[in-house]
Amino acid sequence: FRNHLGMRLTLPVHSNTVTDMAYPGKDWDYLLTVGMDARVQIFDFAVGSVISQIVATPSTSFHQKGILSLDFQRDLRLGITAGLDNDIFVWNPAVKRIRYVLRGHTRPLLGAKMLSPTGYTLISADRKNTIKLWDLRMMECFQTLQFEPTMKEKALPFTAFELVEDQHIVTTFNQAWHRWNSGDIPDDMLVVSKPVTGLSFNDEFSSLVACSVAGISVWDVATGMSVSEIQAASADAGEVVGECSAINVLNRGRYVFAGDSRGTLRVYSFSTGALIRSYRLFGTTAEISHIMPLDHPTVVVGSVSEYSLKILTFTSDFSAILECRDIRCDKDTSCMLVSRAWSLIVAGGVHG
């Protein structure tokens, strides 16, 4: 969907759930998508269709199980994928050639991401709570970090991980998150009271906002200390509050957008934690799953269970909605990509 043209394209490019997407940039005008069908599809915007794919063949070694993660190294123009079969594949999308297979993980991978789009350090995480750092110039692992459970109760495997600029990495699993500098063994886990359902940083990466079913916590990244709480009780009087399911810090860290499991979007002041306004966007059984900004003050909000996206244009202080445009997805939305440069929204579904 291009919001400045009002154009929508539905592309049946995968036979199973679309799990991740990457848009390398204007100088390489393709959209890369991966899914649980163990395929990479390359969509050409100029042609308006899928022009090629990368998939395992009798003569080509590639993923045999679902792909969960996709990234792109811009200088080397290499695609990187990781998934359920423990290996990382590095490939050239222009010639559909597998360049390298990075082996060493012994459990299914959550993902493999570049530390920066133009750097050469790749970071991967698996469900054995192992982090590996790879040098793409040498195509070898130069460090392994193994996380041991430190909570009193049995620690669950990693469920997600986020990368932050300047070689700060944040990993999340169940009720804890970690921060450390690349190469340093991290300190003890920072634990919240309930399972983490979403993370977002302010523009300076100085504060981390984590949401859970208990509410919203604000953490200082430098010290690792919790500095404030935004409780779910901040909702309007008499309103039944759903569990917080999605979070994003917008407008240079001034506002916190939180979506819940009952289809309501709430806007808070980051500095005071005060509720500015709540908006019922979907039905009471619809969980808000995505909150992503376009040009200020326009925000894209999605619900997987409603197969629906809403493009919301707010007043400058987010106290009112000026315009709401609905996009109905044909199938369940499993991932989304927003490109501000192209005013482009891409939604991938569980039916490919």
Side-chain angles (χ1 to χ4, degrees):
F1 177 84
R2 293 181 185 272
N3 71 345
H4 64 290
L5 296 178
M7 184 177 75
R8 172 177 169 173
L9 298 173
T10 300
L11 311 168
V13 296
H14 290 276
S15 60
N16 206 323
T17 302
V18 180
T19 54
D20 204 357
M21 296 177 282
Y23 177 62
K26 285 188 175 182
D27 58 339
W28 208 80
D29 199 17
Y30 299 112
L31 175 71
L32 308 176
T33 66
V34 296
M36 292 301 291
D37 56 1
R39 296 170 183 264
V40 176
Q41 302 282 21
I42 303 173
F43 177 83
D44 188 331
F45 287 112
V47 177
S49 64
V50 174
I51 58 171
S52 61
Q53 67 175 354
I54 302 175
V55 64
T57 67
S59 60
T60 303
S61 174
F62 199 53
H63 292 280
Q64 299 293 324
K65 299 179 181 180
I67 303 172
L68 300 180
S69 172
L70 167 67
D71 208 352
F72 189 81
Q73 207 288 340
R74 294 178 183 173
D75 286 352
L76 300 176
R77 294 205 168 188
L78 294 175
I80 301 111
T81 48
L84 298 178
D85 44 10
N86 305 357
D87 295 331
I88 302 167
F89 286 84
V90 181
W91 36 272
N92 186 328
V95 297
K96 296 179 292 183
R97 179 181 301 171
I98 309 302
R99 297 287 300 273
Y100 299 95
V101 182
L102 305 179
R103 294 186 170 94
H105 286 281
T106 59
R107 293 292 188 276
L109 287 157
L110 287 168
K113 296 292 183 179
M114 298 301 303
L115 193 59
S116 69
T118 57
Y120 299 98
T121 300
L122 178 73
I123 302 169
S124 56
D126 67 24
R127 290 194 175 275
K128 195 181 178 182
N129 295 352
T130 301
I131 297 282
K132 287 184 176 288
L133 288 82
W134 309 80
D135 186 339
L136 286 191
R137 291 167 296 189
M138 304 297 293
M139 293 296 169
E140 62 183 21
C141 177
F142 65 87
Q143 188 167 27
T144 299
L145 300 175
Q146 182 64 52
F147 289 81
E148 299 296 337
T150 60
M151 290 187 289
K152 293 181 180 180
E153 63 271 28
K154 182 180 179 181
L156 297 178
F158 284 156
T159 56
F161 77 109
E162 297 276 348
L163 304 184
V164 192
E165 67 175 13
D166 298 331
Q167 299 189 346
H168 289 90
I169 308 160
V170 173
T171 66
T172 70
F173 60 100
N174 194 34
Q175 295 172 227
W177 64 273
H178 254 309
R179 179 194 66 85
W180 77 95
N181 290 326
S182 177
D184 298 334
I185 300 298
D187 298 327
D188 290 341
M189 292 178 293
L190 303 173
V191 182
V192 297
S193 59
K194 296 291 183 179
V196 174
T197 54
L199 289 175
S200 183
F201 295 89
N202 63 353
D203 284 3
E204 294 78 25
F205 295 99
S206 59
S207 296
L208 167 70
V209 179
C211 68
S212 70
V213 295
I216 303 168
S217 303
V218 182
W219 302 77
D220 183 277
V221 172
T223 64
M225 300 296 292
S226 175
V227 295
S228 64
E229 298 281 338
I230 301 175
Q231 299 297 333
S234 298
D236 293 338
E239 183 182 1
V240 178
V241 179
E243 297 177 349
C244 191
S245 56
I247 198 84
N248 209 334
V249 181
L250 303 182
N251 196 21
R252 300 183 178 179
R254 295 176 58 192
Y255 299 94
V256 176
F257 277 58
D260 72 9
S261 59
R262 294 178 60 85
T264 298
L265 177 72
R266 294 183 178 86
V267 184
Y268 299 92
S269 166
F270 181 85
S271 59
T272 66
L275 176 67
I276 295 173
R277 187 162 177 183
S278 61
Y279 301 93
R280 173 58 58 81
L281 299 180
F282 304 99
T284 56
T285 60
E287 178 179 285
I288 292 178
S289 55
H290 299 86
I291 303 172
M292 291 185 287
L294 279 174
D295 293 332
H296 177 75
T298 302
V299 179
V300 180
V301 180
S303 172
V304 167
S305 55
E306 288 274 304
Y307 344 119
S308 178
L309 308 174
K310 292 183 183 291
I311 304 175
L312 306 171
T313 301
F314 292 85
T315 56
S316 59
D317 60 358
F318 297 105
S319 61
I321 295 175
L322 299 177
E323 182 182 7
C324 176
R325 285 170 287 170
D326 290 291
I327 303 174
R328 293 292 298 177
C329 302
D330 295 329
K331 304 296 181 181
D332 293 0
T333 300
S334 55
C335 58
M336 288 178 58
L337 174 70
V338 169
S339 170
R340 299 187 194 183
W342 283 85
S343 297
L344 179 73
I345 304 168
V346 185
V350 300
H351 297 279

